[in-house]
């Protein structure tokens, strides 16, 4: 809309006191226009002085920080404490507009900024950039419901401090490096008396008709597998979160291991963490079966339902939420997750947002898609080192003979999905001989031109996740 002579984003127009701030389109660029009367005070935007107390400011990190200070709805908040929260890793920094429209409608709180250090490295991004992108989008669209920012799968104190110092509202502590995978009953040390006294010959009634008890062997191996991870989490908590100087919630992640977390092990880890004084809001066990990237659940559904029930009872007993990682496209288990957790959960997705972006490429530029796909096939053996997937490349149709209109349907096939899913970093970083990006710039240009289609695709696809989890739509739009 035309506003004071600018091509303004209508929902971005904000007035507080003597301040007027909004976003406008200038050619290919989006800028902040800010005006104030009276005595200048801090903070204020850095940009070109347009006279009349008016400034045109670019979307820089400094200006994002100013925006967060002036308009708190553009800063992350602790959404993990709500019954339903949902993480949407937007690796590309372009999915957030679709996500905003989706979470305006659903009765769940979004974590729009969610990246791991690995994802930062593969996308050449920083936590600053990930958060600033969301701040600007939320301001542009007038999304005032509140969103979270997740320093996802952090493994070192340095990374935890980095995310916290920027105002991230949750830390997902990845304990996997401290979980032992090679434990057998034979190679475990004798059980310390303290643990024997605490756990053996006891029945732990966790409510809802379920009680748990440990055999000596089970207790010994559980302690050997998780003991160090519990210490690691307790140390991190004491160092950064205990005194409350950072306003952030803690998620404990023990999901990145080879063996599933049994309900008994889950109970032990939670109990030990709580007894060590660690306050956490969510815990992510590794569930039975396989949660492979970007495709539906693989495994025994009946067994999953049985175990998720006990995991959920344990979480209720200790008063935290279950967190479900690698939640992209796990459609066959969403109904039981929603039901057994009684609608109290955190679910994380990431890769599926990237796959929807690539589906848009297949729909709108078949030649570019074929180029990327062909490169992905050549890069697969490199990428697969970092993932556990069961992709069968021989089952993917040959894109050189596939008709243009059949390309988007590749994204309905598991093998093609995983091919494109796990090669995202290599695709984005692939360079030509002259040092320019082989695909990245062309892809971003395409996505910019198809922002509305991408948003619509995400609303449909992530919306399907929320529907199956049993998340209801709110009455009208929540702003
Ligand atoms: Zn995880």
């Amino acid at each position: 809309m035309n506003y004071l002579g600018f091509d303004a984003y209508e929902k971005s127009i904000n007035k507080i006191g003597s301040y007027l701030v909004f976003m406008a389109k200038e050619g290919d660029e989006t800028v902040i226009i800010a005006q104030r009367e009276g005595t200048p005070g801090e903070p204020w935007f850095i940009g070109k002085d347009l006279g009349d107390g008016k400034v045109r400011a670019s979307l820089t990190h400094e200006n994002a920080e100013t925006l967060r200070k002036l308009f708190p709805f553009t800063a992350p908040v602790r959404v993990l404490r709500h019954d339903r929260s949902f993480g949407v890793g937007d690796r590309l920094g372009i999915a957030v507009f679709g996500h905003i429209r989706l979470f305006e409608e659903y009765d769940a709180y979004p974590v729009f900024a969610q990246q791991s250090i690995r994802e930062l490295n593969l996308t050449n991004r920083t936590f600053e950039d990930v958060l600033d992108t969301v701040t600007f989008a939320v301001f542009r669209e007038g999304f005032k419901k509140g969103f979270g920012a997740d320093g996802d799968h952090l493994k070192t104190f340095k990374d935890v401090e980095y995310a916290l110092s920027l105002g991230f509202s949750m830390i997902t502590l990845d304990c996997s490096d401290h979980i032992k995978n090679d434990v057998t009953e034979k190679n475990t040390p004798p059980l310390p008396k303290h643990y024997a006294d605490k756990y053996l010959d006891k029945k732990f009634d966790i409510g809802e008709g379920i009680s748990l008890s440990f055999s000596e062997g089970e207790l010994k191996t559980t302690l050997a597998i998780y003991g160090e991870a519990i210490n690691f989490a307790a140390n991190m908590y004491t160092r950064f979160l205990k005194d409350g100087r950072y306003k952030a919630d803690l998620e404990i992640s023990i999901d990145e291991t080879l063996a599933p977390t049994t309900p008994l092990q889950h109970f032990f880890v939670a109990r030990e963490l709580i007894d060590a004084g660690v306050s956490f809001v969510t815990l992510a066990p590794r569930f039975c079966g396989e949660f492979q990237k970007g495709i539906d659940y693989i495994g025994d559904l009946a067994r999953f339902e049985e175990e998720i029930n006990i995991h959920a009872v344990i979480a209720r007993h200790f008063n935290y939420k279950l967190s479900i990682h690698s939640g992209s496209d796990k459609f066959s288990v969403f109904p039981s997750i929603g039901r057994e957790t009684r609608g109290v959960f955190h679910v994380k997705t990431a890769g599926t947002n990237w796959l929807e972006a690539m589906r848009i490429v297949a729909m709108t530029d078949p030649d570019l898609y074929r180029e990327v796909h062909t490169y992905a096939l050549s890069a697969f053996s490199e990428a697969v080192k970092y993932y556990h997937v069961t992709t069968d490349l021989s089952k993917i149709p040959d894109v050189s003979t596939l008709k243009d209109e059949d390309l988007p349907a590749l994204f309905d096939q598991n093998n093609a999905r995983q091919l494109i899913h796990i090669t995202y970093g290599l695709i984005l970083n692939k360079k030509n001989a002259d040092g320019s990006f082989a695909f990245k710039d062309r892809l971003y240009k395409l996505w910019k031109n198809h922002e509305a289609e991408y948003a619509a695709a995400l609303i449909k696809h992530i919306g399907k996740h929320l529907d199956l989890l049993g998340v209801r739509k709110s009455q009208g739009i929540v702003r």
Side-chain angles (χ1 to χ4, degrees), residues 153 253 255-256 325:
H153 276 283
S253 125
D255 67 305
E256 306 272 306
H325 287 199

Side-chain angles (χ1 to χ4, degrees), residues 152-153 172 174 251 253-256 284 293 325-326 348:
D152 194 11
H153 276 283
T172 299
D174 183 336
E251 166 157 319
S253 125
I254 53 170
D255 67 305
E256 306 272 306
K293 303 293 180 186
H325 287 199
S326 302
K348 295 196 195 199

Side-chain angles (χ1 to χ4, degrees), residues 115-159:
Q115 288 245 93
S116 65
I117 298 292
R118 215 173 96 76
E119 288 174 308
L120 291 182
N121 293 336
L122 286 172
T123 53
N124 280 310
R125 298 182 75 195
T126 59
F127 275 148
E128 284 89 335
D129 164 37
V130 169
L131 180 55
D132 295 349
T133 300
V134 174
T135 289
F136 293 132
V138 161
F139 185 78
R140 195 189 97 176
E141 299 302 309
F143 182 82
K144 295 184 176 144
K145 181 174 167 180
F147 70 91
D150 181 3
D152 194 11
H153 276 283
L154 302 185
K155 295 182 170 190
T156 68
F157 289 0
K158 184 176 132 261
D159 294 339

Side-chain angles (χ1 to χ4, degrees), residues 159-459:
D159 294 339
V160 168
E161 196 167 25
Y162 171 34
L164 288 173
S165 69
L166 292 170
F168 274 56
S169 61
M170 74 179 269
I171 295 296
T172 299
L173 189 67
D174 183 336
C175 302
S176 57
D177 288 355
H178 307 271
I179 297 172
K180 294 211 177 65
N181 277 307
D182 54 355
V183 169
T184 62
E185 219 182 305
K186 280 191 189 120
N187 68 14
T188 51
L191 200 57
K193 186 169 179 304
H194 157 76
Y195 291 101
D197 290 349
K198 188 169 171 185
Y199 288 99
L200 291 184
D201 305 316
K202 289 204 165 69
K203 257 194 173 165
F204 296 95
D205 178 9
I206 55 169
E208 302 173 42
I210 298 175
S211 65
L212 302 171
S213 55
F214 291 79
S215 72
E216 190 175 349
E218 281 165 339
L219 183 59
K220 263 172 79 172
T221 51
T222 299
L223 178 63
I225 296 170
Y226 294 100
E228 256 183 49
I230 291 161
N231 288 338
F232 169 67
N235 288 340
M236 199 292 293
Y237 177 78
T238 307
R239 188 145 156 191
F240 296 110
L241 293 174
K242 196 175 180 177
D243 66 7
R245 69 185 185 276
Y246 295 112
K247 303 278 171 278
D249 292 322
L250 176 61
E251 166 157 319
I252 302 289
S253 125
I254 53 170
D255 67 305
E256 306 272 306
T257 60
L258 293 174
T261 318
T262 65
L264 213 52
Q265 291 169 342
H266 175 183
F267 174 83
F268 178 84
V269 170
R271 173 84 197 258
E272 287 301 304
L273 285 170
I274 287 163
D275 288 353
V278 179
S279 166
F280 55 97
V281 180
T282 38
L283 185 145
R286 155 97 155 78
F287 296 104
C288 62
E290 292 194 37
F291 277 62
Q292 287 190 25
K293 303 293 180 186
I295 61 170
D296 205 343
Y297 177 74
I298 301 172
D300 180 345
L301 271 176
R303 187 175 156 215
F304 178 84
E305 293 194 7
E306 218 171 276
E307 291 202 6
I308 186 90
N309 168 266
I310 307 177
H311 286 302
V313 173
I314 294 169
R316 272 196 290 278
H317 173 71
F318 289 117
N319 197 25
Y320 55 82
K321 300 200 296 183
L322 277 186
S323 177
I324 288 82
H325 287 199
S326 302
S328 293
D329 305 274
K330 301 299 176 291
F331 301 120
S332 63
V333 290
F334 285 151
S336 55
I337 291 170
R339 185 180 64 243
E340 297 304 334
T341 62
R342 299 181 186 166
V344 178
F345 54 74
H346 183 63
V347 171
K348 295 196 195 199
T349 65
T352 205
N353 299 292
W354 150 257
L355 286 173
E356 287 305 304
M358 287 305 296
R359 193 199 294 265
I360 299 292
V361 179
M363 282 162 58
T364 58
D365 190 341
D367 292 337
L368 176 57
Y369 179 76
R370 283 193 183 88
E371 255 186 81
V372 174
H373 183 104
T374 306
Y375 169 71
L377 284 170
S378 73
F380 182 80
S381 60
E382 173 62 25
V384 80
K385 289 178 195 162
Y386 304 98
Y387 291 93
H388 172 68
V389 289
T390 49
T391 316
D392 184 351
L393 295 183
S394 72
K395 295 217 171 103
I396 302 175
D398 181 355
V399 290
S400 66
T401 54
L402 211 56
K403 282 197 219 116
D404 286 359
E405 61 266 33
D406 293 333
L407 291 174
L410 286 169
F411 290 87
D412 301 326
Q413 302 177 21
N414 287 351
N415 292 297
R417 288 182 72 80
Q418 289 196 322
L419 164 70
I420 301 298
H421 187 296
I422 70 167
T423 49
Y424 78 94
L426 295 164
I427 291 168
L428 291 173
N429 286 308
K430 174 70 182 160
K431 296 242 172 88
N432 296 315
D434 65 0
S436 61
F437 283 112
F439 310 115
K440 189 179 185 176
D441 298 337
R442 283 187 289 162
L443 288 170
Y444 268 94
K445 192 169 167 222
L446 182 151
W447 290 322
K448 194 168 181 148
N449 290 335
H450 295 278
E451 191 184 296
E453 285 104 314
Y454 185 39
L458 288 173
I459 289 167

